[in-house]
Amino acid sequence: MTTLLDGITSAKVPTDRLTTHVLEVAGREHGEPVVFIHGNVSSSAFWQEPMLDLPRRYRPIAVDLRGFGGTDPLPVDATRGVRDYADDVAATLTALDVGAAHLVGWSMGGGVVLQLLREHPALARTVTLVNPVSPYGFGGTKGADGELVDAAGAGSGGGGGNPDFVARLKDGDTSDESPFSPRQVLLAFYVKPPFHPARLDDLVESMLTTRVGDDHYPGDFTTTDAWPGVAPGTRGVLNTMAPCHFRLDDLDAIERKPPILWVRGADDQIVSDTSLFDLAHLGRLGAVPGWPGEATHPAQPMVTQMRAVLDRYAAAGGDYREVAIADTGHSPHIEKPKEFSAALLEVLAKG
């Protein structure tokens, strides 16, 4: 159960796809809409402070994606990439009678926002990407242009989930007894240690709203002779970001190009050119046996890939700004709220 901060309201919104759970700020129904999309293994609860920090002219709306928080746990068709999530958000905005909005996406939610931008550019007044997943997905690619290491996407997808973490997530583990407990994963990777969030218990409860299984997190997978022995399946969360299902590198082709803010923690260990969640980088470190070597299986340069795609967006007439916040991990909106809000307000003013 999400603990609501003073001023935050909670509602279920029926749409033509599913019933979505959203958070809003009381008394802001007529402001400029700012739509916040959370990342993997989390929920809208991670956005409460940034929502309250916005001036009264804005209408903050934080959406739970399917299978997270209080939104219906419908299965996820990963062969569509993150389109199930993006279509759900678009349907929610329609049900709320929200037209063009400022879109803010964190981690996997950044991929959802990019999918909305690619398919529904008229919905985006501005776009803010917070430590977003690479436009070439998560795992299984190399180089700035996102070349597939293996045609089947080996090294990405549902087989990349840590079984101990998945089991503890399913069991609702709130302890700190294991490095794979949700609490310890949050403290080690969602933020840069030794940062300790003020609402740590609430954020852990938010993580535990994640539905677990082949249709949700982490998803199904297949085996393969290619290293590291697993390839993406067709269902569930991690497969939505497998590079054989997910590719958003043609943003420069969008005719209408809203301003983009890319804000990231400079010390992020999840979305990084040396991510500790990338099987290729873990192979390089000796943590995954049998790594074939740098020539064929280098670490995925996630930040470099994002920058290359946004550089093409700018060269085609778009406007983007990159803000790297020092001494910060995967969650700058939690770790450095003042710096995050200042950057966000600057891009909102452009829309």
Side-chain angles (χ1 to χ4, degrees), residues 262 264 271-273 300-308 322:
W262 173 27
R264 60 185 182 85
V271 176
S272 165
D273 284 0
Q300 180 186 2
M302 303 176 188
V303 172
T304 296
Q305 290 174 346
M306 186 81 254
R307 188 176 295 116
E322 177 182 350

Side-chain angles (χ1 to χ4, degrees), residues 258-291:
I260 295 178
L261 167 67
W262 173 27
V263 58
R264 60 185 182 85
D267 299 318
D268 188 0
Q269 298 183 83
I270 298 177
V271 176
S272 165
D273 284 0
T274 53
S275 169
L276 290 176
F277 290 73
D278 174 20
L279 294 181
H281 182 57
L282 291 174
R284 172 197 277 171
L285 297 177
V288 179
W291 180 58

Side-chain angles (χ1 to χ4, degrees), residues 9-205:
T9 65
S10 169
K12 295 288 188 77
V13 180
T15 78
D16 59 7
R17 291 177 57 80
L18 78 176
T19 296
T20 305
H21 176 250
V22 302
L23 300 181
E24 296 204 53
V25 175
R28 304 279 194 90
E29 294 81 4
H30 303 294
E32 286 182 31
V34 182
V35 178
F36 294 90
I37 310 298
H38 64 82
N40 193 12
V41 192
S42 66
S43 75
S44 58
F46 275 75
W47 288 119
Q48 291 192 70
E49 288 87 351
M51 293 170 70
L52 292 170
D53 284 345
L54 285 179
R56 292 195 62 82
R57 62 174 286 192
Y58 296 108
R59 177 188 180 184
I61 305 167
V63 179
D64 282 340
L65 300 176
R66 65 169 64 192
F68 300 94
T71 289
D72 286 349
L74 270 63
V76 180
D77 179 358
T79 65
R80 304 184 70 233
V82 296
R83 286 181 178 87
D84 273 357
Y85 300 130
D87 290 348
D88 292 347
V89 172
T92 302
L93 298 185
T94 297
L96 290 171
D97 197 25
V98 170
H102 304 279
L103 303 177
V104 184
W106 168 47
S107 195
M108 182 181 76
V112 175
V113 164
L114 288 179
Q115 192 74 61
L116 281 166
L117 173 62
R118 185 66 190 88
E119 297 189 5
H120 307 284
L123 281 180
R125 298 177 68 146
T126 66
V127 167
T128 297
L129 306 172
V130 187
N131 294 69
V133 62
S134 163
Y136 300 104
F138 202 100
T141 69
K142 61 183 180 179
D145 60 352
E147 178 187 352
L148 278 172
V149 173
D150 172 78
S156 68
N162 180 283
D164 194 354
F165 174 68
V166 173
R168 291 174 180 276
L169 198 63
K170 184 177 181 179
D171 291 344
D173 181 8
T174 61
S175 76
D176 59 2
E177 66 182 26
S178 164
F180 302 110
S181 73
R183 181 181 300 270
Q184 293 295 71
V185 168
L186 187 156
L187 290 172
F189 298 108
Y190 281 41
V191 299
K192 180 182 177 180
F195 182 80
H196 195 282
R199 290 194 301 119
L200 178 58
D201 289 347
D202 289 343
L203 299 182
V204 172
E205 289 295 335

